[in-house]
Amino acid sequence: MISFASERDLVLSQDEGNRIGPGPVREDGIMERLLLLAMATVLGLWPGVGLAGDLTPREIYERSSPAVVMIIGYSNSGQGGSGGTGSIIQQDGFVLTNAHVVIEEHTGKPYPRLTIYLKPDRVTGDRKVDLSRSGKARVVAFSQPLDLALLKLDGPPGALPILELDDSDKAEIGDRVVAIGHPEQGGLWTLTTGTISAEFENFNATQGKSVFQTETGLNRGNSGGPLLDTHGRMIGVNTAIARVASDGLPITSISFSLKSNVAKRW
């Protein structure tokens, strides 16, 4: 939070005409400042308030969440692997996610069976209801170094809602962002909010892997889901979290999202 040092109020001295100097606060001065503060809030000029044209988190969620999916991979034994999140990027059923969501760790190959769950009109909290719309999918391409994977939903039920990849170069540190996903022990299609905290190029010594750092709440299950700007545009693919230091000290509010331009170039 940014704090501001207090300032001495300047008023016109009644005894010295137009000379400006310190003096008692006049009631009309207070009203003028309150009016200016109200105008600044409406126009989005006050810290923490969005600029004109920005969407609220609720508006972003309403527009973007239908294009967010849940992904579960199943081994040959039928046992489900760790689930994740994905974004529909083409109406014919192409889905972008993380490679580690769809690749078996011990084989380095895609799960033999992948299921994609589409968002219901209303998330109830009852998984039998919320996960009633599903379809099979296959991996079209993947990159483990970049932690990206492209899936294709088999036989999509008509034109699907999509999230387009926007230009992540337009986003800067301090910009507000939201994430949608399926965090472990949390609700399906959960919305979390935050800001871009930092940027890294060649993350973890991987050439071309540029990421945003964000304090937006991410957990296991959010992997592969979208990071969205205040216009609801996809500027990142949520990919990693930092939770425990090497000495066991807990780490908080440190998560990473692969920049959308990396996915566009891939």
Side-chain angles (χ1 to χ4, degrees):
M1 179 181 294
I2 299 174
S3 60
F4 295 89
S6 60
E7 297 180 358
R8 301 180 66 187
D9 295 286
L10 298 179
V11 299
L12 287 177
S13 170
Q14 294 178 352
D15 297 331
E16 301 185 28
N18 293 329
R19 185 177 67 83
I20 296 179
V25 178
R26 299 188 314 189
E27 183 176 352
D28 58 348
I30 293 177
M31 296 305 297
E32 289 170 1
R33 287 204 305 277
L34 289 175
L35 180 59
L36 288 173
L37 174 58
M39 292 175 63
T41 301
V42 171
L43 293 174
L45 301 177
W46 194 250
V49 179
L51 297 174
D54 286 355
L55 302 177
T56 66
R58 176 177 177 177
E59 290 170 331
I60 295 171
Y61 186 81
E62 290 175 347
R63 294 187 184 193
S64 303
S65 62
V68 178
V69 302
M70 184 177 182
I71 303 168
I72 300 289
Y74 296 89
S75 64
N76 283 322
S77 64
Q79 184 175 0
S82 60
T85 306
S87 300
I88 303 171
I89 59 172
Q90 288 187 196
Q91 289 184 329
D92 54 356
F94 281 96
V95 174
L96 184 67
T97 187
N98 284 150
H100 75 261
V101 170
V102 298
I103 302 300
E104 283 191 283
E105 186 175 0
H106 69 282
T107 66
K109 298 180 180 180
Y111 280 100
R113 183 162 63 92
L114 289 167
T115 301
I116 287 180
Y117 298 90
L118 303 177
K119 183 181 179 295
D121 293 333
R122 176 176 173 268
V123 180
T124 66
D126 183 339
R127 288 185 170 244
K128 290 184 178 180
V129 175
D130 296 339
L131 300 179
S132 61
R133 300 174 62 210
S134 65
K136 295 181 179 180
R138 55 188 171 84
V139 176
V140 176
F142 69 93
S143 168
Q144 288 184 300
L146 293 178
D147 198 14
L148 283 173
L150 185 65
L151 314 183
K152 179 65 169 65
L153 180 63
D154 294 336
L160 297 170
I162 65 171
L163 280 174
E164 295 184 1
L165 292 169
D166 200 52
D167 182 3
S168 54
D169 287 345
K170 294 187 294 186
E172 298 180 350
I173 295 172
D175 285 354
R176 293 176 301 152
V177 289
V178 306
I180 302 173
H182 315 288
E184 184 178 33
Q185 299 188 24
L188 300 178
W189 285 275
T190 288
L191 172 75
T192 52
T193 63
T195 58
I196 294 174
S197 309
E199 300 180 64
F200 295 88
E201 294 183 357
N202 302 324
F203 186 62
N204 285 342
T206 301
Q207 188 68 31
K209 188 175 184 178
S210 299
V211 304
F212 292 119
Q213 177 187 316
T214 177
E215 96 287 6
T216 306
L218 301 178
N219 289 281
R220 287 187 298 188
N222 281 103
S223 293
L227 189 73
L228 306 166
D229 66 11
T230 53
H231 296 281
R233 298 177 297 215
M234 185 174 173
I235 58 170
V237 180
N238 301 321
T239 188
I241 58 177
R243 290 296 179 265
V244 182
S246 57
D247 60 357
L249 183 70
I251 297 174
T252 62
S253 303
I254 303 293
S255 301
F256 303 98
S257 183
L258 189 71
K259 292 185 178 184
S260 58
N261 283 358
V262 176
K264 291 168 71 174
R265 290 192 296 265
W266 174 49

